[in-house]
Amino acid sequence: MRVLILAAGMGTRMKSKYPKVMHKLMGKELLNWVIDTAKKLNPSKIAVVLGHKSEMVEQILTEDIEIYYQKEQLGTGHAVMSAKDFINNEDILILYGDTPLITEETLNKLVNKHMETNADATVLTTILDNPKGYGRIIKNENGKLIDIIEEADTTEEQRNIKEINSGFVIYKGEKLLYGLSKIKPNNNQGEYYLTDVPKNLNYVETYVLEDFTEVLGINNRVQLAEAEKIMRKRTLNKLMLNGVTIVDPESTYISPDVEIGQDTIIYPMTIIFGNTRIGEECEIGPMTRIVNCEIGDFVKIIRSECEDAKIENNVSIGPYSRLRTGTYLKENVKIGNFVETKKTIINKNSKAQHLTYLGDATIGEDVNIGAGTITCNYDGINKHKTYIGNRVFVGSNTALVAPVDIQDDVLIGAGSTITENIPKGSLALGRAKQITKENWVYKKREKGE
């Protein structure tokens, strides 16, 4: 089976300089939602038909996706004709780039119905109490599909039909090519309708979908927000049924690609996106944002941001911490309030509890980083690395001017500026001698100064 995705529309109702299919739903482009669902069906090939601002859409596609172009907007039938070279004797499933809510389960049922019946085509339909705006399914007295009529071309009697066309169809490849050769733009829109293909075939089946929301198309930003709400609820329900506690689903945003282990608790106002994996019995949130992170078991993250980070078991983070790209926290590490890390490895049992910046650093085991410590990793041109060994105690308000190598068992006095390497077991101080002038303030006051 092959999959062809139509994504050539202009999407003028989005009121945007970007093509409609590039707009994002829960952090991922509409078109890529459809592509990722299609890939789960294990098709032999996937292709998309592009049109409006195709050069922009191409940038979000992977190399395994074939691309065809619809140079003129002459209807869905014309869009498929533009990819005629993609159609062969394999079955071909037609999807749409602006319908991201379709599920793998529904498409598998459609494909199975098609294969079981050996139909020329199988159309995904659904029943609506108010079918306004949709093409109607016309059946004969035996309940077999004989035509699909777009609403603009329906009679008054046909407009009362409640079974509508979703747009999703699977064809035998050769039958689709035959049907395309027969369609003409003889309609009120002057377009080549793909919906005219089934009436030119001998045997067309239907599969009736129960959940109409799966085939909702997105044409404006109001519908985009509605789709986001549906996808979010679907995702959160699945997680909760699999053993994750979500305290307030109304304020929690988790993308469907995220994996979370049992007995983890997600507190309110938390956002988790991307390729994120969270282990068991963690506590995440409130007011936390996590993107593309690998998180172990028994981890606590409170009011913090984590992006492209790896976090092992029993780590605590926050509140108000920021873990940037390249952060790797090993077991039992503690990152406290107002701590920022970037391209930094912190080994077991080490901690940075307060007001600290650690960039381009490697920190050993059992290290204490005092409040106000920073790694001065940037000289205005290049970034430099800091190495801190095991069992090092860094006093508060210390500046480590990279590149610098601090070996095991070093103690650095508070308020130091460290510019040179420190051998193991040493005490290092890098501050000016304190000067105290007794009664200096009182003498100045007496002089009126």
Side-chain angles (χ1 to χ4, degrees):
M1 182 188 72
R2 295 186 170 198
V3 175
L4 181 64
I5 303 171
L6 307 186
M10 295 182 65
T12 55
R13 284 178 280 177
M14 295 297 287
K15 306 293 184 183
S16 175
K17 63 183 178 182
Y18 299 103
K20 176 172 61 174
V21 295
M22 287 186 66
H23 285 263
K24 292 184 178 181
L25 177 73
M26 300 193 77
K28 184 162 66 178
E29 298 85 0
L30 301 181
L31 178 55
N32 277 326
W33 276 114
V34 181
I35 289 173
D36 288 349
T37 300
K39 286 181 177 180
K40 294 175 182 177
L41 306 177
N42 296 315
S44 59
K45 287 186 177 181
I46 299 175
V48 298
V49 178
L50 303 181
H52 179 61
K53 295 187 177 180
S54 59
E55 69 283 357
M56 296 178 69
V57 183
E58 288 174 18
Q59 296 176 13
I60 67 170
L61 299 178
T62 54
E63 293 182 355
D64 57 330
I65 305 299
E66 294 189 20
I67 300 173
Y68 295 86
Y69 301 94
Q70 185 185 19
K71 296 181 180 179
E72 297 180 87
Q73 301 292 306
L74 299 177
T76 52
H78 182 260
V80 177
M81 291 177 188
S82 302
K84 188 175 289 187
D85 291 343
F86 183 71
I87 305 169
N88 60 10
N89 290 332
E90 292 182 77
D91 289 341
I92 183 164
L93 176 62
I94 306 295
L95 305 177
Y96 294 83
D98 63 352
T99 55
L101 299 174
I102 191 67
T103 65
E104 173 192 4
E105 181 183 11
T106 291
L107 291 179
N108 271 323
K109 289 178 179 178
L110 177 67
V111 171
N112 291 338
K113 176 73 175 287
H114 179 70
M115 296 177 65
E116 290 168 1
T117 59
N118 197 32
D120 295 338
T122 304
V123 180
L124 185 65
T125 71
T126 191
I127 310 296
L128 294 181
D129 291 333
N130 180 11
K132 184 177 180 180
Y134 293 92
R136 306 305 200 274
I137 299 295
I138 311 299
K139 293 183 175 180
N140 62 21
E141 61 276 6
N142 296 320
K144 297 300 181 183
L145 186 146
I146 57 174
D147 204 355
I148 302 172
I149 307 294
E150 296 294 342
E151 184 172 68
D153 303 308
T154 55
T155 65
E156 184 174 349
E157 181 181 356
Q158 290 170 337
R159 280 194 290 273
N160 292 324
I161 296 172
K162 296 185 181 300
E163 186 173 3
I164 62 98
N165 173 42
S166 72
F168 296 83
V169 190
I170 182 169
Y171 296 90
K172 289 183 177 178
E174 67 276 12
K175 298 297 183 180
L176 175 57
L177 288 171
Y178 172 79
L180 289 172
S181 70
K182 297 296 182 180
I183 63 176
K184 306 293 181 184
N186 300 325
N187 51 67
N188 293 336
Q189 310 302 314
E191 295 181 344
Y192 294 89
Y193 287 163
L194 185 60
T195 49
D196 285 344
V197 170
K199 67 182 178 184
N200 292 296
L201 305 180
N202 292 325
Y203 177 30
V204 179
E205 272 288 352
T206 60
Y207 177 77
V208 181
L209 174 67
E210 293 183 4
D211 182 5
F212 167 69
T213 63
E214 287 193 34
V215 294
L216 284 174
I218 294 173
N219 296 302
N220 57 51
R221 296 179 196 250
V222 173
Q223 293 173 341
L224 180 63
E226 291 171 350
E228 176 110 9
K229 186 175 182 179
I230 292 167
M231 183 71 81
R232 183 158 60 97
K233 182 177 180 180
R234 183 191 293 176
T235 301
L236 298 181
N237 286 348
K238 181 178 179 181
L239 287 170
M240 288 187 285
L241 291 172
N242 284 332
V244 178
T245 296
I246 298 175
V247 175
D248 181 20
E250 292 299 318
S251 68
T252 303
Y253 296 77
I254 302 177
S255 65
D257 296 333
V258 172
E259 295 180 9
I260 304 178
Q262 290 183 353
D263 296 311
T264 285
I265 302 173
I266 310 297
Y267 289 100
M269 292 176 281
T270 292
I271 299 170
I272 308 174
F273 278 170
N275 184 28
T276 295
R277 306 288 178 268
I278 299 175
E280 298 183 355
E281 297 193 51
C282 296
E283 295 182 29
I284 310 296
M287 293 182 284
T288 293
R289 177 177 173 269
I290 297 173
V291 181
N292 298 328
C293 290
E294 182 180 339
I295 299 172
D297 300 330
F298 310 105
V299 172
K300 294 184 179 182
I301 305 176
I302 304 171
R303 296 184 185 89
S304 296
E305 293 222 358
C306 308
E307 187 164 356
D308 297 307
K310 183 175 181 180
I311 302 163
E312 292 189 355
N313 298 342
N314 295 297
V315 170
S316 66
I317 299 164
Y320 308 113
S321 296
R322 185 185 181 200
L323 274 53
R324 293 166 56 192
T325 298
T327 295
Y328 182 8
L329 307 182
K330 297 193 177 180
E331 289 187 13
N332 302 314
V333 165
K334 294 182 179 180
I335 299 294
N337 50 290
F338 302 104
V339 175
E340 180 179 354
T341 63
K342 189 268 298 181
K343 289 186 179 178
T344 290
I345 300 171
I346 303 179
N347 282 283
K348 295 179 181 180
N349 305 312
S350 292
K351 56 187 177 181
Q353 296 280 45
H354 322 280
L355 305 161
T356 294
Y357 171 68
L358 301 171
D360 299 286
T362 298
I363 298 170
E365 297 182 5
D366 300 298
V367 171
N368 181 86
I369 305 293
T373 296
I374 61 171
T375 55
C376 308
N377 57 324
Y378 184 48
D379 63 8
I381 299 174
N382 298 309
K383 297 289 182 69
H384 300 282
K385 294 185 178 181
T386 297
Y387 173 81
I388 299 175
N390 299 321
R391 299 173 299 281
V392 171
F393 184 96
V394 180
S396 298
N397 199 33
T398 293
L400 304 171
V401 182
V404 66
D405 184 343
I406 300 165
Q407 296 186 12
D408 295 348
D409 302 304
V410 163
L411 189 153
I412 299 175
S416 295
T417 296
I418 303 299
T419 59
E420 299 178 358
N421 296 341
I422 306 173
K424 63 182 180 180
S426 301
L427 167 66
L429 298 171
R431 61 192 182 210
K433 181 180 179 181
Q434 179 175 322
I435 298 174
T436 303
K437 295 184 177 182
E438 294 186 8
N439 298 316
W440 183 89
V441 173
Y442 298 129
K443 292 176 181 178
K444 286 289 184 181
R445 287 177 182 174
E446 288 176 0
K447 293 179 179 181
E449 294 181 6

